[in-house]
Amino acid sequence: MSRLLVFVCSLFIYQLSAQPIAFDTIIDRHIKEQNLLGISVGIIHHGQIIYSKAKGLANIESNTPVHENTVYKIGSLSKQFIATAIIKLAAENKLSVHDPVHMYFPDAPSTWSGITIHHLLNHSSGLERESPAFDGMKSIGDEMLIKATYPDTLIFPTGTKWQYCNLGYFMLADIIRKVSDRPFISYMDRDIFKTYELASTRSTSLSDIVLHRSDGYIKGFGSTWLNAPNYVALRPSGAFLSTIPDLLQWELIMQKDQLLSHTQWESMWHPSIPTGETLTNGTKISYGYGWNVATYKNKRWVYHGGSLPGFRAIYYRYPDEKSAIIILCNVDHANLSKLAQDLAAVLLK
């Protein structure tokens, strides 16, 4: 073996061993600076899991630490799963993203006539962000929440701009129910999570026993912590619980073009509409189906955040590098974007 090859191999091994140490340092600094409680981080680079660690507490009262299989609410990271289910049903010719919503909600007002599934997926429908009937502390069926919106007028003409809309994902969940002829959660559990061995990913439930479930916290006065409000409502826009091992597995499913074809996966990350938002470096952000789309250091960047009372989540993907950073946390003041950016600076340098 040539000296040059030995040097290159040695340098590569050193970089692999040095990165986890750098990740630990960055995460520990953010835990201290941001006053975080429990946090789990998973990182994939060039198709390989290179980092998976949990730090802190899952439950203060029982002094239970977070660990590899700690289960968190993932908030709007749930949207990517719903969008995937829609594209899967489209691939099976059970629906089309160009279907008008009147096919599934025939009594919807005429002002909705231009709205298609595509507009629900990329938040360009013109519908209000939330149903006027939504209450996080009440269990109300998706169809009732959707119908409660019928008297409202569109806030902008369909397709003319982007505005985040949780209601659209309630509608997508109900379309999945109608097309599959099964409850939305039943479809997701059987056809997505169990089929693809996401063992801990499931719908949120207050009554079910969920092993390794983390509690969520908010800051009180001074150095005190309070239990975060626990939504009774099952929100399709933020419906699911998951773990770092499951989300790392999910990332590899996408990278290996499982569940969907390569073209179908790519359709979800196509920048279908500009959000009107820009990064600090001036890069414009677009939206695909359940994902934001931008660039980072001239690399394609696909990402999404999630939030619910007591929880924050973030998922950064770099599809062309087959790399990803996934962070789950059980306090709702966490700035996970800053942490993910600091980790990405090391991962992609």
Side-chain angles (χ1 to χ4, degrees):
M1 183 182 295
S2 71
R3 289 183 180 180
L4 177 60
L5 184 56
V6 169
F7 172 76
V8 171
C9 290
S10 299
L11 180 61
F12 178 70
I13 292 169
Y14 169 77
Q15 289 173 333
L16 286 180
S17 62
Q19 276 187 331
I21 297 172
F23 296 150
D24 277 333
T25 300
I26 292 168
I27 294 165
D28 289 343
R29 174 169 57 83
H30 278 269
I31 289 172
K32 182 178 180 180
E33 291 177 354
Q34 296 194 44
N35 191 20
L36 306 181
L37 269 176
I39 189 167
S40 297
V41 180
I43 300 175
I44 288 177
H45 196 37
H46 298 320
Q48 300 294 321
I49 297 172
I50 63 169
Y51 188 90
S52 181
K53 282 193 180 180
K55 298 170 181 276
L57 292 176
N59 182 282
I60 297 174
E61 292 166 289
S62 62
N63 201 36
T64 303
V66 293
H67 55 78
E68 181 184 30
N69 294 310
T70 295
V71 176
Y72 297 82
K73 292 179 181 178
I74 64 171
S76 286
L77 296 195
S78 303
K79 288 182 170 68
Q80 64 184 279
F81 291 112
I82 295 171
T84 300
I86 289 290
I87 299 304
K88 179 177 184 294
L89 290 168
E92 296 165 351
N93 295 316
K94 295 178 180 177
L95 57 78
S96 167
V97 297
H98 303 297
D99 287 344
V101 297
H102 272 99
M103 286 182 59
Y104 306 98
F105 307 98
D107 56 344
S110 60
T111 52
W112 292 21
S113 61
I115 302 175
T116 66
I117 290 176
H118 165 81
H119 297 119
L120 302 181
L121 286 165
N122 74 358
H123 301 292
S124 63
S125 65
L127 296 169
E128 294 281 357
R129 180 183 177 115
E130 305 284 357
S131 166
F134 176 75
D135 183 336
M137 304 312 293
K138 292 182 180 178
S139 180
I140 304 172
D142 294 345
E143 199 161 22
M144 291 181 63
L145 289 167
I146 294 163
K147 286 181 181 293
T149 312
Y150 285 2
D152 292 351
T153 58
L154 296 182
I155 54 178
F156 59 84
T158 299
T160 61
K161 61 179 288 188
W162 179 92
Q163 186 163 310
Y164 203 74
C165 180
N166 286 322
L167 174 63
Y169 276 75
F170 279 78
M171 293 173 66
L172 291 169
D174 210 43
I175 290 170
I176 291 169
R177 175 184 69 83
K178 292 176 178 182
V179 170
S180 68
D181 199 29
R182 300 212 316 275
F184 159 66
I185 291 304
S186 172
Y187 178 86
M188 298 300 297
D189 282 345
R190 192 184 80 180
D191 288 52
I192 305 292
F193 304 143
K194 290 180 181 177
T195 298
Y196 292 91
E197 299 181 348
L198 305 179
S200 298
T201 305
R202 50 154 296 153
S203 60
T204 303
S205 169
L206 299 186
S207 58
D208 291 356
I209 301 299
V210 178
L211 295 178
H212 313 306
R213 189 200 313 236
S214 173
D215 288 290
Y217 296 96
I218 58 176
K219 294 175 75 172
F221 292 108
S223 60
T224 62
W225 291 101
L226 300 173
N227 288 304
N230 214 353
Y231 275 179
V232 173
L234 174 65
R235 301 178 73 193
S237 57
F240 303 123
L241 305 172
S242 195
T243 64
I244 286 295
D246 272 17
L247 293 175
L248 290 172
Q249 165 72 1
W250 178 247
E251 173 63 26
L252 293 175
I253 286 168
M254 289 189 281
Q255 289 187 13
K256 295 174 182 177
D257 295 330
Q258 297 172 346
L259 195 158
L260 301 175
S261 71
H262 182 74
T263 300
Q264 289 156 358
W265 280 119
E266 286 288 338
S267 73
M268 295 180 59
W269 313 322
H270 176 72
S272 63
I273 188 166
T275 66
E277 300 174 354
T278 58
L279 302 173
T280 54
N281 63 3
T283 301
K284 295 183 178 180
I285 302 170
S286 296
Y287 204 87
Y289 291 166
W291 291 96
N292 292 289
V293 183
T295 57
Y296 172 82
K297 293 185 176 180
N298 296 317
K299 302 178 191 300
R300 192 160 55 122
W301 175 32
V302 177
Y303 70 97
H304 215 285
S307 64
L308 282 170
F311 293 90
R312 290 292 183 269
I314 202 154
Y315 195 146
Y316 279 15
R317 306 189 64 245
Y318 306 92
D320 301 325
E321 283 69 37
K322 294 192 172 181
S323 299
I325 297 168
I326 308 164
I327 310 171
L328 306 177
C329 184
N330 65 352
V331 295
D332 68 2
H333 68 268
N335 183 349
L336 298 187
S337 294
K338 184 64 173 72
L339 172 54
Q341 289 163 16
D342 288 351
L343 294 172
V346 173
L347 182 68
L348 301 176
K349 68 179 181 180

